[in-house]
Structure formats: structure tokens, C-alpha cells
């Protein structure tokens, strides 16, 4: 590390990483825009390592996490970053570690898992409501 710093390689290395991460961020952003999931919201970050998404209304985060894992993709639920169980409507996606190709595949798998979870959660609520008897 000392030689790396003394040779003046640090600034160039940081610049190269910034370029790589910017490119990967853009790949993730474009993949999310392609055939978007209705109600999924995010802001394209100006820097950093992660892209934060707000899940569509009615998508249970833990059910989605399970479905996403079964679909070969993962994310960090927002609840990991909030106190008191809040943040369940958010998820954090990392774009620095996977390759550009893995990002595209991962986003497609994640969108499929979100859509499947929407269908499951919607069906679960309808079934639950159908089984409620009126109080007389």
C-alpha cells in the first residue's frame, strides 16, 4: 500500500473506480427502465455504491426477499437501515460488485420476483377477505 501511494497511483485508481461504478450504475438504471414494474420508484444516484428503490404499494418486503432469492437474486431490505421495523417499503441494490451482465440479469430476475409477489400478495388479500364472515 505504501508503494502504491508513494508512486502516486491512488488518484488514478480512484478515478478508474468512479468511471466503472458510474457505468454500472447507468446499466442498472437502464435495466430498471426497460419494461418497468408499475409502482417501483427510484432515483438515479449521483454517486455511491447503491441504488435505493421504493417498492410498489402492497408488496410485502419479506415475501419479495424470499421470492427474489428463489429467483437467484438478492437485495438488502430497507428495514436493515431503519429503527423500529420501518423502511419495509424500500430496498437497496448494489451495482458495484456484480458485472454489467450480472446486473442486467439480476434486475430482470428482481422485476419478475416483484411481479410474482404482487400477484401472490394480491391473491392472499382477496382470499383473506373472502373468508371473513360478517359479525351479526
Amino acid at each position: 500500500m505504501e508503494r502504491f501511494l508513494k508512486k502516486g497511483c491512488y488518484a488514478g485508481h480512484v478515478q478508474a473506480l468512479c468511471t466503472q461504478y458510474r457505468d454500472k450504475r447507468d446499466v442498472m438504471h437502464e435495466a430498471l427502465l426497460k419494461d418497468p414494474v408499475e409502482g417501483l420508484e427510484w432515483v438515479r444516484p449521483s454517486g455511491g455504491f447503491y441504488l435505493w428503490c421504493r417498492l410498489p404499494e402492497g408488496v410485502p418486503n419479506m415475501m419479495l426477499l424470499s421470492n427474489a432469492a428463489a429467483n437467484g437474486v438478492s437485495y438488502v431490505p430497507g428495514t436493515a437501515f431503519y429503527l423500529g421495523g420501518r423502511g419495509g417499503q424500500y430496498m437497496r441494490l448494489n451495482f458495484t460488485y456484480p458485472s454489467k451482465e450480472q446486473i442486467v440479469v439480476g434486475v430482470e430476475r428482481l422485476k419478475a420476483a416483484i411481479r410474482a409477489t404482487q400477484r401472490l400478495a394480491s391473491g392472499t388479500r382477496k382470499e383473506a377477505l373472502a373468508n371473513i364472515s360478517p359479525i351479526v
Side-chain angles (χ1 to χ4, degrees), residues 96-109:
T96 60
Y97 179 76
S99 69
K100 292 177 186 178
E101 296 77 18
Q102 289 171 321
I103 290 171
V104 171
V105 170
V107 167
E108 289 307 312
R109 289 178 179 180

Side-chain angles (χ1 to χ4, degrees), residues 18-28 100 103:
C18 287
T19 299
Q20 289 175 8
Y21 293 168
R22 186 180 312 110
D23 291 346
K24 288 179 171 188
R25 175 211 54 203
D26 292 345
V27 167
M28 181 173 280
K100 292 177 186 178
I103 290 171

Side-chain angles (χ1 to χ4, degrees), residues 3-77:
R3 279 185 276 154
F4 181 76
L5 293 172
K6 282 185 178 180
K7 287 185 177 186
C9 298
Y10 181 74
H13 180 67
V14 168
Q15 186 60 42
L17 287 176
C18 287
T19 299
Q20 289 175 8
Y21 293 168
R22 186 180 312 110
D23 291 346
K24 288 179 171 188
R25 175 211 54 203
D26 292 345
V27 167
M28 181 173 280
H29 178 71
E30 291 300 318
L32 286 165
L33 286 172
K34 182 182 173 191
D35 189 25
V37 172
E38 186 176 339
L40 182 65
E41 300 173 359
W42 68 93
V43 174
R44 184 176 162 264
S46 59
F49 304 130
Y50 310 105
L51 192 146
W52 280 85
C53 296
R54 182 183 184 109
L55 294 171
E57 185 77 26
V59 174
N61 206 322
M62 292 300 111
M63 182 187 286
L64 173 59
L65 186 60
S66 176
N67 290 339
N71 216 17
V73 67
S74 189
Y75 63 89
V76 180

Side-chain angles (χ1 to χ4, degrees), residues 105-128:
V105 170
V107 167
E108 289 307 312
R109 289 178 179 180
L110 181 60
K111 290 190 296 188
I114 293 170
R115 289 183 176 111
T117 304
Q118 284 175 314
R119 287 189 301 274
L120 286 170
S122 175
T124 301
R125 282 195 298 272
K126 287 177 186 173
E127 289 172 17

